[in-house]
C-alpha cells in the first residue's frame, strides 16, 4: 500500500519475483483491458481517467477470478488492492475460501510533494492518461479518503510492515527485503 507514485508497481514486481509468486496489480489489469478495448476496459477507463476508483463490485470480481488461476495457488502479491473498506471485506472472504492468509501488508511511506513530482515525471515518460496534474491531485485525495484508513484496519491485525519509500529504487528494495526477512525470522 501507499499513495499513487509511492513506487508500488516497481517494488511489487521485485518482491513477487523474490518470492516466486505472481504480482497481481489491479491497475495493470485495468490498463491491459483498456488497451484491449474489452467491455471491462471501456467501463474502467471512465473512472481511471478521472482519478476515481473503479466500482468495488467490478474490481472485486476481477481479483476473485485472477487469484483463482493456477499460478496463484501457492500465493500471490496484491498491488493496488484492496483500496476500500468494502474491498477489505471481500478480500477476507476470498482468502478464507481459498485457504490463504495475508502474511503482511507492506506500506511504502513517502512525502507528498515528492510523490507529485515523481508522478509528473512519469507522465512525461509514460504518457499515462491519469498522470496529469489535476488527476494526480484527485488521485491523492481519493487515496487519503478511501485507502489510507485501511492501514489502521490492518494495523489492528498486527500485519503492517512500514518501509521508507524515499530514495533510489534499489535502496527501497533492499529495505523491503530486510523488513520482510525480519518478519520470517
Ligand atoms: P494504479 O496503477 O494502481 O495507480 O491504478 C490506476 C487506476 O486503476 C486507479 O486510479 C483506479 O482508477 C483503478 N484501480 C486500480 N486498483 C483499484 C482498486 N483496487 N479499486 C478501484 N480502482 C482501482
Amino acid at each position: 500500500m501507499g499513495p499513487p507514485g509511492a513506487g508500488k508497481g516497481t517494488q511489487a514486481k521485485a518482491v513477487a519475483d523474490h518470492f516466486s509468486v505472481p504480482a497481481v496489480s489491479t491497475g495493470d489489469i485495468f490498463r491491459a483491458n483498456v488497451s484491449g478495448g474489452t467491455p471491462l476496459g471501456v467501463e474502467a477507463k471512465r473512472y481511471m481517467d478521472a482519478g476515481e476508483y473503479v466500482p468495488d463490485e467490478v474490481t472485486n470480481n476481477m481479483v476473485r477470478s485472477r487469484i483463482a488461476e493456477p499460478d496463484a495457488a501457492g500465493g500471490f502479491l496484491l498491488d493496488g488492492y484492496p483500496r476500500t473498506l468494502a474491498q477489505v471485506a471481500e478480500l477476507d472472504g476470498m482468502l478464507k475460501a481459498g485457504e490463504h492468509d495475508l502474511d503482511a501488508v507492506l506500506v511504502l511511506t513517502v512525502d507528498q510533494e515528492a510523490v507529485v513530482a515523481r508522478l509528473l515525471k512519469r507522465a512525461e515518460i509514460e504518457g499515462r492518461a491519469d498522470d496529469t496534474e489535476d488527476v494526480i491531485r484527485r488521485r491523492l485525495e481519493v487515496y487519503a479518503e478511501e485507502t489510507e484508513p485501511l492501514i489502521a484496519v490492518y494495523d489492528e491485525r498486527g500485519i503492517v510492515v512500514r518501509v521508507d519509500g524515499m530514495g533510489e529504487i534499489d535502496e527501497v528494495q533492499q529495505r523491503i527485503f530486510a523488513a520482510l526477512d525480519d518478519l520470517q525470522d
Side-chain angles (χ1 to χ4, degrees):
M1 291 184 60
K8 290 190 300 292
T10 306
Q11 299 300 344
K13 287 184 183 74
V15 173
D17 281 353
H18 183 76
F19 289 102
S20 303
V21 293
V24 175
S25 158
T26 43
D28 282 354
I29 303 174
F30 283 134
R31 279 185 288 279
N33 277 277
V34 171
S35 306
T38 69
L40 175 65
V42 171
E43 179 169 13
K45 188 175 180 350
R46 289 192 286 141
Y47 298 96
M48 295 169 79
D49 285 354
E52 305 292 339
Y53 286 168
V54 178
D56 285 331
E57 209 189 317
V58 175
T59 308
N60 288 330
N61 287 337
M62 188 176 85
V63 172
R64 184 178 296 102
S65 52
R66 176 63 189 88
I67 66 178
E69 283 177 31
D71 66 332
F76 45 85
L77 179 142
L78 295 168
D79 163 24
Y81 182 91
R83 264 173 151 112
T84 65
L85 287 168
Q87 292 179 13
V88 170
E90 273 298 304
L91 176 62
D92 284 341
M94 288 178 217
L95 293 175
K96 208 168 166 199
E99 298 183 354
H100 285 291
D101 260 330
L102 278 183
D103 298 315
V105 173
L106 185 67
V107 177
L108 287 178
T109 58
V110 286
D111 108 27
Q112 171 114 352
E113 285 312 303
V115 156
V116 175
R118 211 184 252 187
L119 287 171
L120 287 171
K121 191 167 160 208
R122 183 170 76 185
E124 269 175 41
I125 299 167
E126 294 179 15
R128 270 176 53 164
D130 58 352
D131 273 346
T132 63
E133 185 151 7
D134 283 354
V135 178
I136 288 169
R137 300 226 175 261
R138 180 63 193 145
R139 286 164 61 210
L140 287 167
E141 259 173 32
V142 174
Y143 176 81
E145 282 165 20
E146 305 244 14
T147 305
E148 217 172 89
L150 271 50
I151 299 174
V153 172
Y154 287 125
D155 250 334
E156 274 182 23
R157 300 188 192 180
I159 54 172
V160 173
V161 178
R162 284 183 177 74
V163 172
D164 176 7
M166 301 305 296
E168 296 300 318
I169 290 175
D170 280 353
E171 236 178 294
V172 177
Q173 189 175 312
Q174 292 315 314
R175 283 180 210 137
I176 292 174
F177 289 154
L180 293 178
D181 284 346
D182 277 353
L183 207 70
Q184 286 184 319
D185 292 340

